Amino acid sequence: MAGSDVLDRARAIVGPAHVLSDLADTAPFLADWRGRYRGEALGVVRPADAVQVAAIVRLCADTGTPLVPQGGNTGVVGGAIPDASGHSLVLCLSRLNLIRAVDPIGDSLTVEAGCTLAAVQAAAEQANRLFPMSLGSEGTCQIGGTIATNAGGTAVLRYGPMRDLVLGLEVVLPDGTLWNGLRALRKDNTGYALKHLFIGAEGTLGIVTAATLKLFPRPRSVATAFLALPSLDAALRVFARLRGALGDRVTTAEILSDSQLAAVLAHVPGTVRPLAAAMPWYLLAEVTDPMAGLDLAAALEELLAEGLEDGSVADATVARSHAQADALWKLRHSVSEANRKSGIVIGHDTAVPIARIPDFVARASAAVEALRPDARVAAVGHIGDGNIHLVVILPNSARTESQPLETIAHAISAAVHRVAIELDGTISAEHGIGQSVRDALAAFKGPAEMALMRGIKRLFDPQGIMNPGKVVATDEP
């Protein structure tokens, strides 16, 4: 069927105003926010509800039109960007933005996929509850996208990734069937847990249109500290001490290399070095509790004093106000902005067992420097779950070299991924596969696991129209 006919049928489903086809209107949907991935599309369709999503998917199934679901378009792996063929429809879910139900007694919240993460957090707060997912893009990213990528964030240590926060899903399957699995049950032992097939599948098996999410008590006692550390080994000792004494009260443990902090201070206005001395590593730690009136700051200070005595902590500060805590968090949340301003960024989303973090950073950094002596290597991430983002920043002059930048980046990433795999780690901990890591997936998963993944894809999407070219394809052997 001609592309114009597909668009006409889509207009009949969602209304002419919600099918975009002029390049000026579609351009924001055809490139990622970093400008790394660009594609073409027949048009952008903006359905109003799950019924319209199902009708659009049936249209695509009937006509063999590839469909690329897109939430807030805040991803970093190209998972929501169409290919260059121009044959796809982009399905924008931003109009599915209703808060359907809030249950503070059962600690659950049912929302549509187009709700921003910030809107979900606000709805939970209005019910005097907490939705703990926290990302730098939370004002823009949508809940469907966080589910599709199994997003992580800064609170995984205590609350887990998105997979651990989803109770039930509503999903449109590749043939247009609408599956209602919006159960708020904490226990349901009736066969296969189908929701987990869609969490992290990046829209390749179906389109999430709504979700029932877990809520938690709001923290009423909070303490935030920023530590200067002589080494990653020291950071692990400090982390173990905090966890041993405070248990699950330790909500966040974010590590930054000195090179990463230096980039933030140099390129992000309003950031201030919190400690006088420069050290190789820094740890941002936050502890929380739902009980009011606890002096968690005093507990932190006592533990940090032990670290100062044994040398594992070189210096530390504990926030005395919300403003001071926000200033510390600004250092962490400004990492992406600072790195973009520093040069050509080649980022990684690796994770290894926590005890192997020092070995990973040392070996991966050495591998990068052997390939590119002009590279600056920074590290930032979640020490509590082993997810360390090794950030390689090349000078802008690399764009003019005879060797294509894509080739340079591929060689660097292959070296970093090789070290992570050798240390029993993963090449993608929270960002997803999308386009950027798909070719590296087979080396990580192995033949048996890849065969299972391809079999699931073929079973759900035999036509291969759901977000084609991402994660795995139906036409691979």
Side-chain angles (χ1 to χ4, degrees):
M1 178 178 287
S4 59
D5 293 333
V6 172
L7 292 178
D8 286 342
R9 289 177 61 179
R11 291 185 183 100
I13 295 169
V14 304
H18 300 295
V19 177
L20 311 178
S21 56
D22 292 340
L23 183 57
D25 296 326
T26 61
F29 302 88
L30 303 181
D32 73 316
W33 62 277
R34 297 189 305 174
R36 181 178 178 186
Y37 299 99
R38 296 183 184 275
E40 302 292 337
L42 287 174
V44 177
V45 182
R46 301 174 63 244
D49 53 34
V51 173
Q52 288 188 358
V53 173
I56 292 296
V57 173
R58 282 194 296 273
L59 167 62
C60 290
D62 291 344
T63 60
T65 304
L67 189 64
V68 179
Q70 188 176 105
N73 199 12
T74 60
V76 297
V77 295
I81 304 301
D83 62 23
S85 69
H87 299 318
S88 302
L89 280 182
V90 173
L91 187 75
C92 173
L93 295 166
S94 60
R95 295 179 67 208
L96 279 74
N97 58 9
L98 296 179
I99 305 293
R100 293 190 185 177
V102 182
D103 180 6
I105 296 177
D107 277 330
S108 70
L109 175 71
T110 299
V111 302
E112 293 185 340
C115 290
T116 65
L117 177 53
V120 173
Q121 293 169 340
E125 184 174 1
Q126 289 175 6
N128 196 29
R129 292 293 183 270
L130 171 73
F131 184 68
M133 174 70 64
S134 180
L135 305 173
S137 60
E138 57 197 29
T140 307
C141 70
Q142 296 173 12
I143 212 70
T146 63
I147 292 169
T149 55
N150 187 30
T154 58
V156 168
L157 173 61
R158 180 166 183 173
Y159 297 103
M162 199 66 191
R163 187 178 300 279
D164 294 338
L165 302 176
V166 174
L167 292 170
L169 291 178
E170 178 185 84
V171 181
V172 175
L173 303 178
D175 64 355
T177 300
L178 180 60
W179 171 58
N180 185 352
L182 289 174
R183 302 180 185 93
L185 300 173
R186 301 300 176 115
K187 298 167 70 175
D188 180 4
N189 213 13
T190 52
Y192 306 129
L194 296 178
K195 67 181 180 184
H196 287 296
L197 287 171
F198 302 103
I199 303 171
E202 300 182 49
T204 61
L205 303 181
I207 297 172
V208 173
T209 52
T212 299
L213 307 171
K214 292 180 183 178
L215 299 181
F216 296 84
R218 291 192 61 74
R220 291 175 175 82
S221 297
V222 180
T224 307
F226 195 87
L227 291 61
L229 307 166
S231 67
L232 275 174
D233 287 313
L236 292 183
R237 293 198 300 274
V238 171
F239 171 69
R241 175 178 286 137
L242 293 176
R243 286 277 283 176
L246 299 173
D248 283 342
R249 287 190 175 118
V250 183
T251 304
T252 298
E254 298 289 292
I255 197 80
L256 297 91
S257 66
D258 183 58
S259 55
Q260 182 62 84
L261 179 62
V264 171
L265 296 173
H267 294 289
V268 180
T271 56
V272 179
R273 180 179 289 277
L275 300 169
M279 293 297 290
W281 293 94
Y282 303 90
L283 181 69
L284 174 63
E286 190 162 89
V287 296
T288 67
D289 195 280
M291 183 178 294
L294 296 181
D295 193 351
L296 295 180
L300 260 181
E301 289 173 343
E302 181 178 343
L303 292 167
L304 297 181
E306 295 177 11
L308 289 167
E309 289 181 5
D310 66 20
S312 57
V313 177
D315 198 0
T317 183
V318 178
R320 292 301 176 186
S321 66
H322 290 302
Q324 290 180 3
D326 289 345
L328 296 177
W329 271 107
K330 184 177 176 66
L331 298 172
R332 174 62 180 93
H333 288 320
S334 299
V335 161
S336 295
E337 177 186 351
N339 289 340
R340 288 200 307 275
K341 294 178 178 178
S342 299
I344 300 169
V345 179
I346 304 171
H348 303 93
D349 183 34
T350 46
V352 296
I354 296 173
R356 293 187 161 188
I357 289 175
D359 195 13
F360 166 74
V361 172
R363 288 174 54 180
S365 298
V368 170
E369 290 162 2
L371 289 171
R372 295 288 306 203
D374 60 340
R376 182 169 65 82
V377 179
V380 61
H382 323 292
I383 194 172
D385 55 43
N387 180 195
I388 303 300
H389 304 288
L390 199 79
V391 183
V392 179
I393 301 176
L394 299 177
N396 287 313
S397 59
R399 299 184 191 278
T400 62
E401 295 181 14
S402 58
Q403 190 176 32
L405 184 58
E406 184 177 346
T407 302
I408 297 171
H410 182 271
I412 289 172
S413 293
V416 173
H417 291 162
R418 189 177 305 115
V419 174
I421 294 170
E422 289 171 354
L423 294 175
D424 299 322
T426 178
I427 61 175
S428 178
E430 63 180 359
H431 291 167
I433 300 300
Q435 302 178 52
S436 70
V437 194
R438 179 186 153 180
D439 291 342
L441 193 62
F444 171 65
K445 290 290 190 181
E449 197 166 354
M450 288 301 298
L452 285 171
M453 291 178 65
R454 290 175 184 134
I456 292 169
K457 172 66 173 173
R458 292 190 187 101
L459 176 65
F460 276 75
D461 182 25
Q463 291 181 273
I465 64 169
M466 301 297 288
N467 211 7
K470 317 294 168 46
V471 188
V472 294
T474 55
D475 57 355
E476 292 176 323

